[in-house]
Amino acid sequence: MNNEQTAIRITYFSIIGNTILALIKGLAGFFGNSYALIADAIESTTDIFASLLVLLGFKYAKRPADENHPYGHGKIEPLITFGVVAFLVVSATIIASESIQNIQTPHKIPKPWTLFVLGGIIIWKEISYQIVIRKSKQTNSSSLKADAWHHRSDAITSVMAFIGISIAILFGKGYETADDWAALLASAFILYNSYLIVRPALGEVMDEQVYDDLILEIRKKSIEVKGVLDTEKCFIRKSGMKFHVDLQAIVNGDISVKSGHDIAHTLKDYLREEIPNLGHVLIHIEPNA
C-alpha cells in the first residue's frame, strides 16, 4: 500500500469514528445536562466535514503530473490543511460563544454518568490521535497531521469537560457552570493548536527550507555514486507527500559532457531508489576547481 492509499484509508477511519462519537456526545450531552459534551459533539461534527475535505484533497493530489502541473498536484495538501484549520477555528469560536452564553444562564448540574461517557471518549480519541499522527509521519502528509490534531483537540475538550463536570458534581449547587468554563478553556486550546498546524503548512506553500536532515541524507547518498566528488547547493520543495530536489553535483572537470550527463542520470536514479519519498530530482553538474 503506497502513501496515498494509506492516507485515504486512515481518513475514512477518522470520518467513521467522528460520526459515531458526534452522535454519542450529542445524545449524552442532551440527556445528561452537559453543555461541555454538547460542545464536544459540535467539534466532532466539524471534524467530520474537515476529514471529508482531507479525503477530497488526497483524491485530487493522487492525480499524476500533467502538462499544466509537471510537479504533480500535491500542493493542494497544504491548501486543504488551511481549510481543516478553518474548521477548527469555527468550532472553537462556536464553543466559546455558546459557553459564555451558558455561563450566564442558570441550568442543572450534569448527570454523573456522563463522566463514564467522557472517559471512554478520551481514551478512544487519544488512540485515534496516535494512529493518525503515526501515519502522517509515515506518509509526510500535512493534511493527515492536521486531521490527527483534530483528534487531539477533541481529546482535550473531553478532558476539560471531564474536569468541569467532576467539579460541578463534587461541589454541587453554585458550580453548575463548571463544565461551561471547561468548554471555554478547551476552545482556547483548540485555537492554539490551530496555529501549530497552520504554521508548517504555510512554510510548505512558501517552499521554506526546513529539511536539513533530508538534505544531509541526500548529500551522503550522492557521494556514493561513482563520479560524484561532492555536492554544493541543495534545495528542497515539498509537494503533498513528495520532496522535489534541486542539487548541484561536483564532478571531474576534465570529463566529457556525455560523461557528466550520464553521472547526473545515475545520481538521480540512485537518489530516488534510496529515498522513496523523493519526487522530481534535478541535477546540475559543476566541474571541480
Side-chain angles (χ1 to χ4, degrees):
M1 187 181 296
N2 60 31
N3 285 346
E4 288 80 9
Q5 290 171 326
T6 299
I8 289 172
R9 186 175 179 181
I10 206 70
T11 304
Y12 277 120
F13 164 79
S14 292
I15 292 169
I16 294 169
N18 286 327
T19 301
I20 295 170
L21 285 181
L23 289 171
I24 292 172
K25 291 174 182 179
L27 291 171
F30 179 78
F31 291 107
N33 300 323
S34 171
Y35 178 70
L37 261 175
I38 294 174
D40 240 356
I42 293 171
E43 213 230 331
S44 288
T45 302
T46 61
D47 286 351
I48 297 168
F49 290 106
S51 293
L52 285 171
L53 189 61
V54 170
L55 182 62
L56 291 174
F58 284 144
K59 289 184 177 293
Y60 182 84
K62 274 181 66 179
R63 295 182 181 183
D66 54 35
E67 187 177 345
N68 292 328
H69 306 89
Y71 290 95
H73 298 77
K75 282 293 185 183
I76 191 69
E77 232 200 294
L79 301 181
I80 290 296
T81 301
F82 295 150
V84 173
V85 169
F87 275 109
L88 270 175
V89 172
V90 168
S91 65
T93 303
I94 292 172
I95 290 169
S97 175
E98 292 295 324
S99 296
I100 293 170
Q101 206 168 30
N102 275 271
I103 287 169
Q104 299 169 343
T105 306
H107 55 79
K108 297 177 182 178
I109 293 174
K111 300 286 180 65
W113 58 261
T114 57
L115 291 175
F116 294 100
V117 175
L118 278 167
I121 289 170
I122 291 166
I123 293 170
W124 174 248
K125 292 307 288 187
E126 184 58 28
I127 291 172
S128 298
Y129 167 77
Q130 294 298 335
I131 292 172
V132 179
I133 198 68
R134 186 167 63 249
K135 294 298 182 182
S136 76
K137 292 174 182 177
Q138 177 187 322
T139 58
N140 297 305
S141 170
S142 59
S143 293
L144 267 189
K145 182 179 180 182
D147 205 33
W149 272 101
H150 266 282
H151 290 295
R152 173 55 67 81
S153 67
D154 212 358
I156 290 170
T157 56
S158 296
V159 169
M160 294 297 103
F162 190 94
I163 294 170
I165 292 172
S166 297
I167 291 172
I169 293 171
L170 185 62
F171 292 99
K173 188 172 176 59
Y175 288 86
E176 296 89 348
T177 60
D179 71 325
D180 301 310
W181 282 104
L184 184 60
L185 182 60
S187 68
F189 274 104
I190 295 171
L191 288 174
Y192 176 67
N193 285 330
S194 299
Y195 167 75
L196 295 180
I197 297 167
V198 81
R199 178 62 187 86
L202 181 61
E204 189 174 327
V205 169
M206 298 298 292
D207 292 328
E208 190 175 1
Q209 295 299 292
V210 291
Y211 310 109
D212 292 343
D213 290 342
L214 181 56
I215 289 174
L216 184 62
E217 185 180 4
I218 289 170
R219 291 190 187 280
K220 286 180 178 179
K221 295 291 182 185
S222 295
I223 59 176
E224 294 174 5
V225 174
K226 185 178 179 180
V228 178
L229 304 179
D230 202 353
T231 56
E232 282 192 343
K233 295 176 182 176
C234 182
F235 300 133
I236 294 177
R237 289 173 287 166
K238 186 172 183 292
S239 180
M241 302 176 197
K242 294 291 185 181
F243 296 92
H244 302 305
V245 180
D246 296 335
L247 177 67
Q248 290 184 352
I250 300 174
V251 302
N252 189 329
D254 295 328
I255 64 175
S256 66
V257 172
K258 174 69 166 57
S259 296
H261 174 79
D262 291 342
I263 291 172
H265 268 281
T266 302
L267 175 57
K268 174 183 176 180
D269 293 341
Y270 183 71
L271 288 175
R272 294 187 68 177
E273 180 182 343
E274 291 291 307
I275 310 174
N277 290 330
L278 296 188
H280 183 78
V281 179
L282 176 65
I283 307 296
H284 176 77
I285 295 296
E286 287 280 347
N288 64 338

